[in-house]
Amino acid sequence: MQSETTQATQLITLAGVLARKHNFSLPLDYSQADGERILVFARELTLPENVDKQLPYLVFFQGGPGFGAMRPAANGGWIKRALKEYKVLLLDQRGTGLSTPINYLSLQHLDAAGQAEYLSHFRADNIVRDAEAIRAQLSPGNPWSILGQSFGGFCVLRYLSAAPEGLLEAYITGGIPSLSRSAEEVYRATYLRVLAKNRDFFARFPDAGELIAKLVTYLQDNEVLLATGERLTVEMLQLLGINIGMEQGGESVYYLLEQALIETQNGTRLNPLFAAQFSGMLDYNTNPLFALLHESIYCQQAASDWAAHRVRQQYPEFNYRTDEPFLFTGEMIYPWMFEQFNNLKPLKAAAELLAVKDDWPALYDAGQLKQNRVPVVAAIYSEDMFVEMRYSLETAAQVGNLKYWLTSEYEHNGIRMDGEQILDRLIALNRGARLR
């Protein structure tokens, strides 16, 4: 398979870092290499003093699915640690960032069946195929190192299953998936985690319940429009819970609730600040691939059939009633979201088709993983709301040559908050150091 690449003619200077852009023309469907092609973008980072050195690559796989790689402004966080010995490659996974982005505009030329077929090529299996095609261009004949955060860790396990010869070493933060558990099993565990995070949130902020009760009453009595044009509903308000599983996320939600309602000469009104900031705390309009393909990351030869929606019925406390405490939901996708979010509405029919798709290819090779020889080091967060610790430990026991650091110090977004220290500890563990 041939790929084409073009590079920026000049390096871009950030604060203490040099960046170079790469664009790759790659097959949409690797079984039809001469068919439709997409653009995959990656940004290469290096220190000025290392620009002419032949350093190995560390490729970053972003969490999601459906989010582009970070856009660094300076030499900080985990990148600062990585650049001491690597060139860093920030990969915009297909469909995200500058990599032929997915949204209702880019798909409007296709009918629902065509959209679903097109979107079926944007899972971890093809993300890894893209990475291998890019490696053949940037580092021919040389394996490279990879780092996966959250869903990026799912991509790491796929890489170890399908193309271990391309890897020198692998690091994972908050993202070891189950190799075989169904989407239903994953969500049953996740709802319990979300319940625990709700208890923590309302214990930390004792007046939050009262603030939410007033806001819910206002929403039920008034038509409230968000800055993005949608009517704010109670179930949409519950989606803010995706933030309470992040470090500093609970604070952000609480401070937003504090400012939700204001008193005016014409009575109580929704604060325009709330309407604007609320939309910015949810990614469904801006990153539709997250909603479209999230459940499919758990699917192997099975349909998700709106697993989070179905499993929710086993936890009726999440279905809001005025005589019961309000609860936030978490990282769950519901069919009604494609009726309420403006940028998801045009993709509703495609989402329905993806939900019943039952021939998703297998993502992991248990036999290959058992005999894995690529050094793998993972940070597993015991209090993680997004990735169930028990399932991560279950998988870790099934993967050869994998070491892990189990910690309660960080939430799911630990690498964003303290990335330099986390990556340093993982590299040290890989090099044989004992952790204190």
Side-chain angles (χ1 to χ4, degrees), residues 28-44:
L28 169 69
D29 181 353
Y30 277 83
S31 69
Q32 300 179 28
D34 296 328
E36 183 175 354
R37 301 181 80 80
I38 60 172
L39 181 72
V40 175
F41 173 83
R43 194 184 313 272
E44 179 181 334

Side-chain angles (χ1 to χ4, degrees), residues 15 65 83 85 130 136 161 172 182 209 218 230 307 421 432:
L83 287 177
E85 56 188 280
D130 291 341
S161 294
I172 300 172
S182 67
Y218 185 85
E230 296 95 345
Q421 295 300 317

Side-chain angles (χ1 to χ4, degrees), residues 320-386:
Y320 177 73
R321 292 166 40 188
T322 56
D323 58 341
E324 295 290 341
F326 177 96
L327 289 176
F328 292 109
T329 53
E331 191 184 39
M332 291 89 174
I333 305 301
Y334 302 109
W336 56 260
M337 294 165 66
F338 291 86
E339 300 170 351
Q340 294 193 21
F341 286 96
N342 284 342
N343 290 354
L344 294 183
K345 290 177 183 178
L347 302 172
K348 181 179 185 295
E352 295 285 357
L353 292 174
L354 291 169
V356 298
K357 180 178 170 63
D358 60 4
D359 60 350
W360 294 105
L363 291 168
Y364 312 115
D365 184 332
Q368 176 62 42
L369 291 173
K370 182 178 181 179
Q371 62 183 10
N372 173 61
R373 293 295 177 264
V374 177
V376 186
V377 185
I380 300 175
Y381 307 134
S382 62
E383 306 308 308
D384 199 326
M385 188 181 83
F386 298 82

Side-chain angles (χ1 to χ4, degrees), residues 176-178 181-199 294 298 307-308 310-315 317-318 328-332 334 381-394:
I176 299 183
S178 170
R181 291 186 180 272
S182 67
E184 289 88 346
E185 291 177 280
V186 170
Y187 284 116
R188 279 196 288 270
T190 304
Y191 274 111
L192 293 175
R193 289 281 181 171
V194 176
L195 281 172
K197 293 298 183 185
N198 270 278
R199 289 193 293 268
H294 190 270
Y298 305 115
R310 290 185 291 105
V311 173
R312 180 172 177 164
Q313 306 317 307
Q314 301 172 25
Y315 299 92
E317 54 267 53
F318 284 102
F328 292 109
T329 53
E331 191 184 39
M332 291 89 174
Y334 302 109
Y381 307 134
S382 62
E383 306 308 308
D384 199 326
M385 188 181 83
F386 298 82
V387 180
E388 173 57 42
M389 176 192 66
R390 291 177 297 126
Y391 297 165
S392 292
L393 292 173
E394 180 181 82

Side-chain angles (χ1 to χ4, degrees), residues 123-186:
R123 293 203 311 161
D125 45 5
N126 283 312
I127 292 170
V128 169
R129 291 184 178 105
D130 291 341
E132 276 295 275
I134 292 170
R135 185 176 68 87
Q137 290 288 319
L138 295 184
S139 186
N142 299 310
W144 55 18
S145 302
I146 59 175
L147 167 63
Q149 156 65 15
S150 188
F151 169 70
F154 292 40
C155 294
V156 170
L157 267 290
R158 170 62 189 181
Y159 216 140
L160 293 167
S161 294
E165 67 280 1
L167 299 179
L168 183 65
E169 58 190 352
Y171 298 100
I172 300 172
T173 56
I176 299 183
S178 170
L179 300 182
S180 59
R181 291 186 180 272
S182 67
E184 289 88 346
E185 291 177 280
V186 170

Side-chain angles (χ1 to χ4, degrees), residues 21-296:
K21 299 178 183 180
H22 297 278
N23 292 286
F24 302 88
S25 175
L26 301 174
L28 169 69
D29 181 353
Y30 277 83
S31 69
Q32 300 179 28
D34 296 328
E36 183 175 354
R37 301 181 80 80
I38 60 172
L39 181 72
V40 175
F41 173 83
R43 194 184 313 272
E44 179 181 334
L45 306 179
T46 188
L47 294 177
E49 60 267 29
N50 292 334
V51 68
D52 294 321
K53 296 180 181 179
Q54 297 299 313
L55 295 180
Y57 281 98
L58 176 69
V59 184
F60 181 64
F61 289 87
Q62 172 73 28
F67 294 85
M70 62 187 297
R71 265 54 181 169
N75 185 16
W78 69 265
I79 288 176
K80 181 178 180 180
R81 174 61 184 89
L83 287 177
K84 291 180 179 180
E85 56 188 280
Y86 301 99
K87 292 180 180 179
V88 170
L89 197 67
L90 300 175
L91 176 66
D92 278 355
Q93 298 163 13
R94 52 169 52 201
T96 75
L98 294 175
S99 295
T100 309
I102 293 293
N103 53 58
Y104 73 94
L105 291 174
S106 67
L107 297 176
Q108 65 182 356
H109 64 290
L110 300 170
D111 63 14
Q115 290 173 347
E117 165 60 23
Y118 186 85
L119 290 163
S120 70
H121 300 290
F122 286 77
R123 293 203 311 161
D125 45 5
N126 283 312
I127 292 170
V128 169
R129 291 184 178 105
D130 291 341
E132 276 295 275
I134 292 170
R135 185 176 68 87
Q137 290 288 319
L138 295 184
S139 186
N142 299 310
W144 55 18
S145 302
I146 59 175
L147 167 63
Q149 156 65 15
S150 188
F151 169 70
F154 292 40
C155 294
V156 170
L157 267 290
R158 170 62 189 181
Y159 216 140
L160 293 167
S161 294
E165 67 280 1
L167 299 179
L168 183 65
E169 58 190 352
Y171 298 100
I172 300 172
T173 56
I176 299 183
S178 170
L179 300 182
S180 59
R181 291 186 180 272
S182 67
E184 289 88 346
E185 291 177 280
V186 170
Y187 284 116
R188 279 196 288 270
T190 304
Y191 274 111
L192 293 175
R193 289 281 181 171
V194 176
L195 281 172
K197 293 298 183 185
N198 270 278
R199 289 193 293 268
D200 291 346
F201 176 84
F202 288 106
R204 290 179 60 208
F205 305 107
D207 62 333
E210 182 180 354
L211 293 171
I212 293 173
K214 291 179 179 179
L215 178 56
V216 167
T217 298
Y218 185 85
L219 296 181
Q220 292 173 331
D221 293 341
N222 299 273
E223 183 180 36
V224 174
L225 298 182
L226 295 169
T228 46
E230 296 95 345
R231 179 175 183 175
L232 177 57
T233 63
V234 175
E235 60 262 33
M236 195 182 288
L237 181 65
Q238 290 180 286
L239 296 178
L240 277 180
I242 197 170
N243 296 281
I244 68 174
M246 303 286 192
E247 189 170 344
Q248 299 183 3
E251 290 85 348
S252 297
V253 171
Y254 176 69
Y255 295 143
L256 182 65
L257 293 171
E258 277 189 320
Q259 304 175 80
L261 299 174
I262 57 175
E263 297 301 324
T264 75
Q265 292 296 321
N266 296 317
T268 302
R269 295 290 184 270
L270 188 83
N271 191 338
L273 179 147
F274 177 93
Q277 292 191 357
F278 179 92
S279 299
M281 293 180 71
L282 298 178
D283 302 301
Y284 306 110
N285 271 326
T286 55
N287 298 79
L289 199 60
F290 178 61
L292 288 160
L293 288 186
H294 190 270
E295 291 203 346
S296 78

